[in-house]
Amino acid sequence: MTNVKNSMASCCISELSFQSLCMLSPAEKLTTGRPSEGPDGSPPSVATTLHITHGVVTDVAGGPTDLFGGRAVPGKPLVDLLDEAEKFGFLPGGTAASINTALAARQSKQLLSLADGRSIMVATEFAAADDMTLHFVDVSFAVQMTLSQQRDVLTGLPNRVELLRRLNEHLASPASLPQTAVLYVDLDRFKMVNDTLGHPIGDALLKLVVERMQRLLAPKDVLARLGGDEFVILQAEGEQPHAAEVLASRIIEIVGRTYLLQGHSVQVGASVGIALAATDGKTPEELIKNADLALFKAKSAGRGTFRFFTDAMDREIQERRALEIDLRRAIIMQELSLVYQPQFEIDGNKLVGFESLVRWSTSERGSVSPAQFIPLAEETGIIDQLGEWVLRTACKEAARWPEPLTVSVNLSPVQFKSPKLVSIIVGALSSAGLPPSRLDLEITEGALIENTETVLLMLNQIKAMGIKVSIDDFGTGYSSLSYLQKFPFDKIKIDQSFIRSLETNADSAAIVRAVTALGKSLGMMTIAEGVETESQLELIARDGCAQVQGYLTGRPLAADAAAELISTRT
Amino acid sequence: MSLYRLVYYSENRISSSVADLQAEVEEILTQSRRNNALVGVTGALMFSSGYFGQVLEGPQAAVEATFERIQQDPRHGDVALLEFAPTDTRSFDTWAMAYVGEDSALFAHLGPETGFDSDKITGEALFNRLRAMVATNAAVA
Ligand SMILES: Cc1cc2nc3c(=O)[nH]c(=O)nc-3n(C[C@H](O)[C@H](O)[C@H](O)COP(=O)(O)O)c2cc1C
């Protein structure tokens, strides 16, 4: 070994620190003393092997990196060698003593950590009474692997496994229970950042978010990343629930402030769910689950806010689960049905078609409101199956009606996420034998908010086949007008909230007038829904609305009743 | 590395006592002088008892890092980013600070001390500019 190499080795080793040793997992984590392989699968680099007889070095085999800088020579007492190595900075301070103690106790394994990041395992074979061989083995790779099983690679934070371990450890002392809270943090709009600016910026953002949160934590708190944009904080000490509330508000405020990343200004928000160790769960898993439930509530309360877990949330989730099971069964058991609400041309009072509306009733639940089960179907993905059933049933029914009566079918924004949507529509039409021009698909603005390009592509395909497309609940969203520009809808359905307040709110009347005028100039038909009184009908007629649907002109009817209405009206 | 300019406006959350305000402002001054010079950031900070307004100019990464620290500062809140865009020229050669508002005598020393060039742009002028930007809802990049 040359002098240059020696001095290089010594300068690395002189930076040894105990801090990194303390941070390492205990040696027992390295389940066996099995020498680790290099990252490329190469054999481990044995730093040094010492053979000791009667406390004196008798044989030395130096690996590629001699830990002792050439000072390990036969004849030198081990105690002196270790002392020297420490003094000259080859080994971290205090290591000599701890190696000696371990050897005296005939402990065969010990882990040392060098400041340059290397981890050295001292593996000792005790042969005869006073005869032993010490292998100093570089086990950095194995240690790294162990750490990576505990840590999130991107942020270096503890992962779920490590969080559970720390929570377990923390909850083991009963005194800490009343002081402990688990905060589940989830970023709002993070997906949008990833989608629009790309993953590298998304990753950089996550790191900044972590830095901001870490600044808000107390020394004993633990911040873990469970994946994606989900984080959990173990708040270890505080007067609860006040401390958790303060921390949650601080996180929401600070994380919500603007980020600058590679020339972009980026805004995300945070929502937080909180579970208290004293009341909201006995195990770490249960606490995390309940904090997650509270988070769900915070998110549905409009994001950028926090919620404490309550027992009511738990009950609600159980009920939801039960409802979900029932709904899945209902689709299979055909417990769902469609009703049809007539639509008329105001001028001449002529029947033009029906809107199909889904109904569900069970013997135990009675009739369940669509406002309850449609969102559930959307969140659980049941909507695809449900939506297909509605399309097929409505088309089949409409095929029995005389030309040119149309059937309107509502499409959920979620259905546009399925690439099969267009072929499902085509399938429903062809198996019913219904001409495309007699199907009218109603979509809400919600469908156009995300993945607008893809959705527009699908809508254009649908329209090209001759199917009609209407915009539903018009005027309730934020940017209704801009959507009219993006797609040539056949019909605008003015939301019933404007109709209902027509007589009491001058603004509503103005909006209805403006929308009908707009429809005319864009070549789109306008229909008012929710019309309940004669005077409302008169007003919309005066304002130029072409069609009407509502209790006044006809309630939703079962298929047979709809057929009967048709026979009297045509 | 391209030059960027950043302008924001925020709410002063330093407690309303004049002594506190003075002490904190001195501290911000010291921190900013040291840090900004180190990374080539120039600009101006204007404040009143109610608001801060700041312009930061410099290499993109330096401006971003500086702003990231400022963002986390509890001494202010409701930070409204008004401008963040590449620029060809700096409008401030150094880092300057000035007080706008009532009682300006209290902070009169800051202008000369920090090289705030009142001929080039007065605090009021910048504040007015900031205000105008807020009012017209200037786009944020
Ligand atoms: C309104 C306001 C403006 C600030 N401007 C700057 C600045 O331009 N440069 C800076 O380094 N710190 C600025 N700070 C201070 C930072 O928020 C932060 O406290 C400081 O950079 C920490 O620096 P230190 O770690 O060197 O003490 C500002 C703080 C406030 C409240």
Side-chain angles (χ1 to χ4, degrees), chain B residues 8 10 14 27-36 41 45-47 52-56 66 68-76 95:
Chain B
Y8 75 82
S10 64
I14 300 169
E27 159 121 17
I28 293 173
L29 178 63
T30 320
Q31 290 172 326
S32 307
R33 253 189 189 154
R34 183 184 58 229
N35 297 335
N36 297 5
V41 167
L45 174 69
M46 254 106 327
F47 67 101
F52 287 107
Q54 190 169 24
V55 181
L56 295 170
T66 304
E68 178 60 22
R69 281 201 311 278
I70 296 173
Q71 273 290 48
Q72 298 176 59
D73 201 312
R75 289 173 289 199
H76 66 166
W95 193 79

Side-chain angles (χ1 to χ4, degrees), chain A residues 9-67:
Chain A
S10 70
C11 91
C12 292
I13 296 166
S14 65
E15 286 166 4
L16 290 169
S17 89
F18 251 94
Q19 201 186 346
S20 43
L21 184 66
C22 302
M23 277 177 54
L24 277 179
S25 54
E28 90 231 4
K29 283 258 141 122
L30 298 163
T31 42
T32 63
R34 181 169 45 93
S36 60
E37 289 173 18
D40 51 355
S42 59
S45 57
V46 176
T48 306
T49 297
L50 303 178
H51 194 85
I52 313 288
T53 313
H54 297 298
V56 172
V57 178
T58 49
D59 193 14
V60 185
T65 45
D66 178 356
L67 269 180

Side-chain angles (χ1 to χ4, degrees), chain A residues 186-253:
Chain A
D186 181 283
L187 301 185
D188 306 327
R189 293 181 301 277
F190 175 72
K191 192 179 168 307
M192 210 163 79
V193 175
N194 248 347
D195 289 348
T196 53
L197 299 175
H199 288 276
I201 293 203
D203 285 354
L205 173 65
L206 285 177
K207 287 184 188 168
L208 287 185
V209 168
V210 166
E211 277 175 27
R212 287 191 186 181
M213 287 201 281
Q214 254 160 346
R215 291 240 174 104
L216 302 173
L217 300 184
K220 287 194 180 161
D221 296 349
V222 177
L223 172 62
R225 180 174 178 224
L226 299 201
D229 57 348
E230 294 185 15
F231 300 90
V232 168
I233 294 167
L234 155 62
Q235 190 180 36
E237 286 176 336
E239 194 187 307
Q240 303 298 2
H242 182 68
E245 182 170 340
V246 170
L247 180 57
S249 331
R250 293 281 293 145
I251 286 173
I252 289 163
E253 190 199 334

Side-chain angles (χ1 to χ4, degrees), chain A residues 208 211-212 215 250 253-254 257-265, chain B residues 4 6 13 60 64 67-68 71-73 76-77 81 84 140-141:
Chain A
L208 287 185
E211 277 175 27
R212 287 191 186 181
R215 291 240 174 104
R250 293 281 293 145
E253 190 199 334
I254 298 290
R257 293 185 178 183
T258 308
Y259 299 81
L260 301 182
L261 287 158
Q262 294 159 44
H264 303 277
S265 92
Chain B
Y4 266 69
L6 178 154
R13 297 216 177 136
Q60 181 199 312
E64 290 183 359
F67 186 66
E68 178 60 22
Q71 273 290 48
Q72 298 176 59
D73 201 312
H76 66 166
L81 186 60
F84 177 55
V140 169

Side-chain angles (χ1 to χ4, degrees), chain A residues 40-153:
Chain A
D40 51 355
S42 59
S45 57
V46 176
T48 306
T49 297
L50 303 178
H51 194 85
I52 313 288
T53 313
H54 297 298
V56 172
V57 178
T58 49
D59 193 14
V60 185
T65 45
D66 178 356
L67 269 180
F68 297 98
R71 275 162 208 283
V73 289
K76 185 174 287 194
L78 177 63
V79 184
D80 291 357
L81 174 65
L82 292 176
D83 270 353
E84 266 176 50
E86 200 179 295
K87 208 168 295 153
F88 284 94
F90 297 141
L91 289 180
T95 321
S98 69
I99 293 178
N100 285 327
T101 317
L103 292 179
R106 304 216 120 212
Q107 214 172 300
S108 64
K109 281 186 200 81
Q110 210 185 351
L111 191 65
L112 310 179
S113 154
L114 314 193
D116 62 4
R118 283 189 299 161
S119 306
I120 303 293
M121 166 80 80
V122 191
T124 310
E125 296 166 39
F126 299 95
D130 230 342
D131 188 34
M132 57 188 174
T133 309
L134 275 65
H135 301 280
F136 293 81
V137 187
D138 187 335
V139 292
S140 308
F141 187 64
V143 171
Q144 254 163 36
M145 289 310 292
T146 310
L147 279 184
S148 77
Q149 280 157 24
Q150 296 165 6
R151 303 219 160 239
D152 167 55
V153 181

